[in-house]
Amino acid sequence: MTTRIAELAPGYDQSGAFPADSLRIVHEAGLLTATIGESYGGQGARVEESARILHRIGQGDPSVALIAAMTLNTHARQAAQPHWPEELYARVVKESFERPVLVNHARVEPELGSPARGGLPATLARRTPDGWSLSGTKRFVTGAEGLDWFLVWATTDEPEPRVGTFLVPGGSPGIDITGRWDQLGLRASGSHDVTFRDVEIPYEHVIGIGPYGAQAEQDNRAGASLHLPLAALYLGVARAAQSFFHTFAHARVPANLGHPVARTERFRRTAGEIEVLLSAAEQLVFGGAARVDAGDSAYTPEQALGARVLADRHGVRAVELAVRLLGNPGLARGNPLERHFRDIQCAPVHAPQEDISLLTIGTKALTP
């Protein structure tokens, strides 16, 4: 599976097209449904297995891995604590076993930015005789073009406003892509801006609805362990970069040297540093994920946030070292390492970003 999507990755990176064929390959391997709970007929993959799945997909194409991560995360949350309308979720599961069904949250807004930094949504859900009418614009909605369900965070227009997540079918009238994703890395992730214009949904298609206030804001500690699989995804990118670095080192034979640069002290030392960085990060991520799955009460949300901070730092640094040693070839368009270098820059961008995570960790550390 990893090899097949890796072969498609350069083309998707160049075109920025939605990676439908690669996602179909992932689905055929049974990975898009891996986290569906056993009570729903799924495998019930938990945090460590999710991390290992995304690590491998990330080695092949991190854009595909990121789209898959959003769906896997949705099923994992439902398995841990059911909150969808049962009949609706049963239908989603049935369809998911038959074809790639993609789900993602739509939370970031042009004015608000990421909810990880606090604040409440401007997107409005208006009551209608039959349900809700949803209007507003969301940014960076990964996989937007191929989503079967948008999980839209919005405020109600009731006399006493509430905040909730509204379950919107992807084919609903009134959904438009209004800003195209054109970033340095993860170019095939399709993280477009999406505008909802009076999109009608049934009354019961809402989850987690509650009072308008600080308690409705995103709790970065509560979901900390779910960031471990995301960290693993980018470590997969770094491992792919490492693999190319090794291939180059064995194949490159300068005329003045007479043997592969892999035999030089300079390349061996850098190879060692890259391996130490990635091995340590993987121990933190996979080890932490295993402790979460085991119900280890001594493993705190702050440790999970810290593992992701260090994993992101190590992954970025490892790829930078490989590029630096290769010089111009490492930054040549069409070279896999150049693409890995661009993709790994996206690792620290995901919410909660490093400063928010460190603030949370430091607040806990300084609490008497």
Side-chain angles (χ1 to χ4, degrees):
M1 180 275 300
T2 307
T3 301
R4 291 171 66 195
I5 64 173
E7 291 170 350
L8 296 171
Y12 282 126
D13 174 75
Q14 186 174 15
S15 68
F18 182 75
D21 288 342
S22 294
L23 285 161
R24 195 172 300 113
I25 292 167
V26 172
H27 177 264
E28 289 170 356
L31 301 182
L32 273 182
T33 55
T35 54
I36 293 176
E38 294 179 356
S39 61
Y40 298 104
Q43 302 172 41
R46 301 181 68 190
V47 181
E48 183 183 4
E49 189 172 351
S50 297
R52 294 191 182 278
I53 287 170
L54 292 175
H55 186 260
R56 290 303 300 272
I57 301 175
Q59 290 180 49
D61 187 338
S63 290
V64 174
L66 188 63
I67 295 170
M70 303 308 165
T71 296
L72 289 171
N73 185 31
T74 298
H75 289 308
R77 288 179 181 271
Q78 177 69 11
Q81 187 174 359
H83 53 285
W84 281 56
E86 280 296 324
E87 185 177 340
L88 175 60
Y89 187 69
R91 175 157 58 90
V92 170
V93 168
K94 182 177 183 297
E95 293 176 0
S96 295
F97 287 132
E98 297 170 353
R99 63 177 180 84
V101 172
L102 303 175
V103 187
N104 193 11
H105 286 266
R107 293 177 63 84
V108 180
E109 294 184 343
E111 296 298 326
L112 175 66
S114 170
R117 297 182 181 276
L120 295 162
T123 299
L124 194 66
R126 180 176 54 84
R127 284 289 285 118
T128 68
D130 300 318
W132 303 97
S133 176
L134 205 68
S135 295
T137 295
K138 297 294 186 179
R139 303 205 70 194
F140 311 132
V141 184
T142 295
E145 290 171 299
L147 292 181
D148 293 272
W149 290 93
F150 292 87
L151 278 55
V152 183
W153 194 47
T155 304
T156 69
D157 71 340
E158 299 165 313
E160 295 186 8
R162 295 180 293 166
V163 174
T165 298
F166 295 78
L167 309 174
V168 181
S172 302
I175 301 177
D176 295 307
I177 292 176
T178 51
R180 305 297 299 188
W181 174 255
D182 188 17
Q183 304 290 99
L184 178 74
L186 297 186
R187 291 184 52 77
S189 68
S191 302
H192 306 304
D193 294 356
V194 179
T195 297
F196 302 85
R197 295 186 175 92
D198 298 319
V199 178
E200 300 279 347
I201 61 170
Y203 179 75
E204 64 274 12
H205 282 205
V206 59
I207 56 178
I209 195 164
Y212 186 103
Q215 65 270 29
E217 296 185 2
Q218 180 168 312
D219 185 345
N220 294 317
R221 293 183 73 257
S225 64
L226 295 175
H227 292 288
L228 295 172
L230 189 65
L233 185 164
Y234 286 103
L235 289 175
V237 177
R239 284 295 188 187
Q242 179 194 43
S243 177
F244 181 81
F245 173 76
H246 289 177
T247 299
F248 178 93
H250 287 291
R252 173 63 174 155
V253 182
N256 65 329
L257 197 59
H259 58 75
V261 292
R263 290 166 56 183
T264 66
E265 183 176 308
R266 180 167 172 252
F267 268 77
R268 289 184 176 186
R269 184 183 297 113
T270 300
E273 185 171 357
I274 290 172
E275 180 57 32
V276 167
L277 286 169
L278 298 185
S279 294
E282 288 168 355
Q283 288 178 39
L284 283 172
V285 169
F286 295 134
R291 292 179 67 181
V292 172
D293 288 344
D296 185 351
S297 59
Y299 190 74
T300 66
E302 287 76 19
Q303 286 175 291
L305 290 171
R308 191 194 142 195
V309 167
L310 289 176
D312 287 351
R313 288 180 179 178
H314 285 203
V316 170
R317 177 60 178 162
V319 180
E320 286 176 346
L321 285 170
V323 170
R324 181 177 301 177
L325 219 61
L326 265 65
N328 277 330
L331 292 175
R333 293 284 291 178
N335 184 326
L337 187 57
E338 183 266 350
R339 174 163 45 86
H340 300 325
F341 176 76
R342 287 188 286 105
D343 287 338
I344 200 72
Q345 305 310 313
C346 296
V349 172
H350 289 284
Q353 293 175 355
E354 182 173 306
D355 64 313
I356 294 295
S357 294
L358 292 177
L359 177 61
T360 302
I361 296 166
T363 299
K364 176 68 173 179
L366 290 173
T367 299

